[in-house]
Amino acid sequence: MEQIAFVFSGQGAQYSGMGKELYECSAAARAVFDTADRIRRGTSEQCFTASKEELSVTINTQPCLYCVDLAAARALEERGVHPATAAGFSLGEIAALTFTGALDDETGFSLVCERAKYMQAAAEKTDGGMAAVLKLKNEEVEALCAPFEHVYPVNYNSPGQLVVAGEKEELAEFSAAAAQKGGRVVPLAVSGGFHSPFMDEAAQQLSRYLQAIPFEKPRIPLYANATAKPYPADGRSLAAEQVNHPVLWQDTVEQMLSDGIEIFIEVGAGKTLSGLVKKISRMATVLHVEDKKSLQETLAALQK
């Protein structure tokens, strides 16, 4: 049987109504939202009815996307689909930690709420933003970042796509320099400069929080953003470090492919990771689950 990986989507993929069909068609998915509502009242209603603007505020984005990610994975598991490995992009790594048993459901959701709070507070202290740079090599983007004091390469997404974080005024200057080199710069709909030194305080707060909660070794290999390698038995430090360190997504997918993964199923809102995996490997089979239709289509594809 072909080896399957679940990949959990990250921030930026949010949209109004996400998760509602999963809630309605899967008892396992519904349980995820019910747990969230017990801890943070109104989370499911926010997923299902809030505007994109409300959902794009970090303290709302992260708990809501976490629920949709985990609900999609649980809906697949409920129907007999069990991955050999997993990975999550940024926020998605917290949902992946819960799915793989490193955290229980209540602890995982409480953690994502704390993470969102710390990251929003850190973001509000600086005028930061993020942008995807297309059509340039990683080395070229890194060289363009070097002259700026507060512009950093942060998300190594796929060949020809590297996201940078920076102070907005410097980011505008960087964008002009990148365009002159032939790059295309696309601003991201996020509220801060994540995965950069702007998040150092948030990472420190998260590290302290993680030390006080139970944390188990994932039951299947879970590839960490910060290393592109599976989590160790105690991965608390990695879970904190991913907040202020680059996301090595391309390296992660390439390592999973090298380890025998043939099918990638993106679980959660949108198809951003599906697109990235396709750019990294033309040989991989890429599926996704975010609603009833995509769940049915993925199950049908797996039975062929």
Side-chain angles (χ1 to χ4, degrees):
M1 185 176 177
E2 292 175 299
Q3 295 277 15
I4 295 171
F6 284 4
V7 290
F8 292 73
S9 55
Q11 207 160 329
Q14 62 273 4
Y15 59 86
S16 182
M18 62 182 184
K20 188 172 188 295
E21 290 187 10
L22 292 172
Y23 182 92
E24 293 170 346
C25 76
S26 165
R30 188 158 52 249
V32 171
F33 288 103
D34 290 346
T35 296
D37 284 337
R38 287 196 297 272
I39 297 169
R40 180 183 181 270
R41 284 185 64 186
T43 297
S44 59
E45 189 66 18
Q46 195 168 54
C47 288
F48 305 158
T49 65
S51 66
K52 177 149 186 166
E53 290 72 27
E54 182 179 341
L55 287 169
S56 294
V57 179
T58 298
I59 56 170
N60 300 329
T61 315
Q62 295 195 18
C64 289
L65 278 175
Y66 165 98
C67 287
V68 181
D69 281 8
L70 187 58
R74 290 277 170 77
L76 276 169
E77 186 180 48
E78 179 182 49
R79 287 159 172 80
V81 180
H82 303 285
T85 66
F89 192 103
S90 186
L91 154 75
E93 190 166 290
I94 309 303
L97 283 165
T98 304
F99 179 78
T100 60
L103 306 167
D104 63 40
D105 284 23
E106 292 78 8
T107 303
F109 186 73
S110 296
L111 173 62
V112 84
C113 291
E114 291 298 310
R115 182 182 189 270
K117 181 174 70 176
Y118 301 150
M119 291 177 74
Q120 174 145 335
E124 289 172 352
K125 292 182 179 180
T126 58
D127 189 21
M130 299 177 77
V133 185
L134 311 177
K135 300 184 177 180
L136 295 178
K137 294 179 180 178
N138 290 346
E139 297 79 11
E140 294 175 299
V141 178
E142 291 165 348
L144 286 167
C145 290
F148 295 97
E149 186 177 1
H150 299 115
V151 179
Y152 311 94
V154 291
N155 296 348
Y156 290 75
N157 287 350
S158 67
Q161 186 180 137
L162 174 52
V163 172
V164 301
E167 186 275 326
K168 285 186 178 177
E169 189 172 319
E170 286 195 355
L171 204 52
E173 295 177 32
F174 165 87
S175 298
Q180 281 188 328
K181 285 282 189 181
R184 178 171 165 241
V185 182
V186 181
L188 301 186
V190 295
S191 57
F194 304 131
H195 300 288
S196 75
F198 292 137
M199 294 292 117
D200 284 350
E201 184 176 349
Q204 292 166 6
Q205 292 171 314
L206 195 61
S207 180
R208 287 194 290 271
Y209 182 85
L210 280 157
Q211 293 306 315
I213 63 174
F215 198 106
E216 304 294 333
K217 182 178 180 180
R219 66 174 181 268
I220 59 174
L222 169 59
Y223 292 76
N225 286 178
T227 64
K229 297 177 182 177
Y231 261 79
D234 187 345
R236 287 180 174 89
S237 61
L238 278 179
E241 286 172 11
Q242 60 125 252
V243 167
N244 65 336
H245 284 69
V247 175
L248 306 180
W249 189 251
Q250 182 178 341
D251 287 350
T252 297
V253 173
E254 288 175 347
Q255 185 61 55
M256 295 171 90
L257 288 163
S258 177
D259 291 343
I261 294 301
E262 298 164 279
I263 300 173
F264 291 80
I265 305 177
E266 179 173 6
V267 286
K271 295 192 284 186
T272 300
L273 299 186
S274 299
L276 296 180
V277 173
K278 288 176 183 177
K279 289 179 181 178
I280 295 165
S281 171
R282 295 180 182 178
M283 301 299 292
T285 298
V286 183
L287 306 168
H288 88 287
V289 172
E290 61 178 319
D291 53 22
K292 184 177 181 179
K293 181 183 177 184
S294 57
L295 175 61
Q296 291 173 337
E297 289 174 344
T298 292
L299 291 170
L302 292 173
Q303 289 172 356
K304 290 180 180 178

